[in-house]
Amino acid sequence: MKRGQLTLEFLMLILAVVIGGAIIATQIGGINFNSKDVENIKKLTIVSFTPSNTTLNVNFNLSATTTHINNTTNNTTTNNNTNNNETDTNINIPGRIDDLFLHVKGYALLTKNYISGGNWVSGEINKKINNKEIVKYNANGTVGGNITINKGGELLFGNIYEISSLYLKMDDHNAGETYINVPKVDKISADTLEGRLLNISSSYIGNFEVTGKEGIKTKKLLFINSYIDDFYAYSIEKSYGTYINIELYKTEIDNIKVDKDIKCNMEVINSKIEGNIEARDIYGNYEFINSSVGNIKTNRYIKGDIKLVNSKINNIEAKKGINNKFMIFNNSDIENIKTDGNIKSENMKIINSKINNIETGGSFKGLVEFSNSLVENIKIKNNINAKMTFKNTNVSGNIEANNIYNNFKFIDSTVENIKIKHNIKYNMDIINSKINNIEAGTIYANVYIHNSIIDTISANTMKNNKIVIDSSSISSLKMGSYSYKMGLIKNTTIKEIIIDNTYKCNKYNYLTIDNSSVDKIYINKYNNNGLINNSIVKEITINEYKSKNNNKLFIKNSRIDKISVNKWGKHSQIEIIESYIEGKYYKHAIMDNSGIHNI
């Protein structure tokens, strides 16, 4: 081969390389090799694997809202097509809904999951889906528009990872089911929600609002494993006379705010409502299991039943009153139950729970039972009309009211103070319990104290029926006036009994101290039948002893270390039988204004 020929062939080879490079450069011109943009990657990939002798028949349709790569021989798709903007290609990007009006009378599913057999769509979708028609879409980029699903129709819409704004219309109380499973939803709004079901799962929702005066009437509203910043409705109403159901499972909501009334059955399981459930009035049935709520607040009444199991509520507040069939708190924690009006619960049970305060501006009515629980204070401005039982419960503060007008029972419990401004009526049983102080204006009730420790029992008046103190320890028993039909203190230790007077007693009134130990008995004015039997009394002082109706004090089989009567009535006597008086034994004697005389 000649030198000149070799040089010519080499030059031709160089020229071929340069021309080939120019062709490739023309095809890939505009590609940013350092960019991670999907379009640049697609262009580079296609050009790199295209033979140099093939003409590229590819149309790149780029848009800020959607991206398609379409073979122009099969489909032609333009952006923002107001008709169904569909393509069969499987090359897609995560979908996003922006300003979609969805009218559901049939069945609708919006999901992040891919819908098998669904057409890829983007842009404006205006569609009416009729009875027995099933439409399947997968979002490819941004989608908006107006879709109506009539009864019997179905929409399955997949590949949706974000919803900017969804306006939802469900206006048929007998039809319409909507399922939303989208990771991020900025806003769902509606004028009125009816239909059979709205199911929201595995979604983050910034704002959920129903603003129309008809409110929410969906037969069932279900939230599963979701988070909602703010939930607002003008009202939550019955669906044609029946309470709707709202269910939360593994869901968090910052606030539920309703301008008017909430009328529903609400079930909250393994969920959290950070702030308030707030409304004018609340009706229905509310059950919280393994959940927490900031506050339940109403401007007027809570008329719904409440059940807590392994749950926590900071405050239950009703401005005008709480009136329901039941409130049950089991293994739960409640900071405060408060109303300016009355609490009336036909069946209120506090089991293995803690309540800091129960406070009313009115009265407390119904049937109430505390068991194995902790309570700080019960403060009732007016009357306790409720039948109350405390079992193995600790009231670390006060029970306060104007009057108690029903049965009270303490079993294996402790109470710091019972402070009743006026009257205690009906029965009060204190069994195996400890109470620091019981204070009342008048105690009318039958009082039974057994195997208990009480620091002080004090009342201006104790009268009617009977009082029995058995096998107990009392520091001080103070009465302004005493006129019980029967009083019995037995097997008990008392430091002091102080009675101002017993003048209203008649021959049927009887006070007995039996097999007990008393440090001191002081009676200012005494007119009563009385018996001290098998007991030890260190000191008895009667300031004035005036016997009426042949009333008499008997001392039998006892020891009295010191006894004095400052002023005797004309017929007043103390009869002594087989007892020691001030160290001296008397088989049978009478004590009167002249001293002690054997008989």
Side-chain angles (χ1 to χ4, degrees), residues 110-123:
L110 307 180
T111 178
K112 67 181 180 181
N113 298 321
Y114 168 76
I115 300 297
S116 179
N119 290 332
W120 293 93
V121 296
S122 65

Side-chain angles (χ1 to χ4, degrees), residues 559-571:
R559 191 189 86 196
I560 311 298
D561 292 343
K562 183 179 179 180
I563 183 168
S564 63
V565 177
N566 296 328
K567 185 178 179 181
W568 289 87
K570 184 176 180 180
H571 302 289

Side-chain angles (χ1 to χ4, degrees), residues 135-186:
V135 174
K136 297 180 180 181
Y137 289 145
N138 289 297
N140 191 23
T142 300
V143 176
N146 190 322
I147 301 176
T148 296
I149 307 150
N150 289 319
K151 287 183 180 180
E154 294 186 24
L155 170 67
L156 307 179
F157 210 144
N159 199 45
I160 303 169
Y161 283 81
E162 183 178 353
I163 296 176
S164 174
S165 178
L166 172 66
Y167 184 87
L168 184 61
K169 184 175 181 180
M170 299 175 70
D171 56 356
D172 190 326
H173 76 281
N174 280 323
E177 294 184 15
T178 302
Y179 294 79
I180 298 173
N181 176 14
V182 176
K184 185 175 184 296
V185 181
D186 290 337

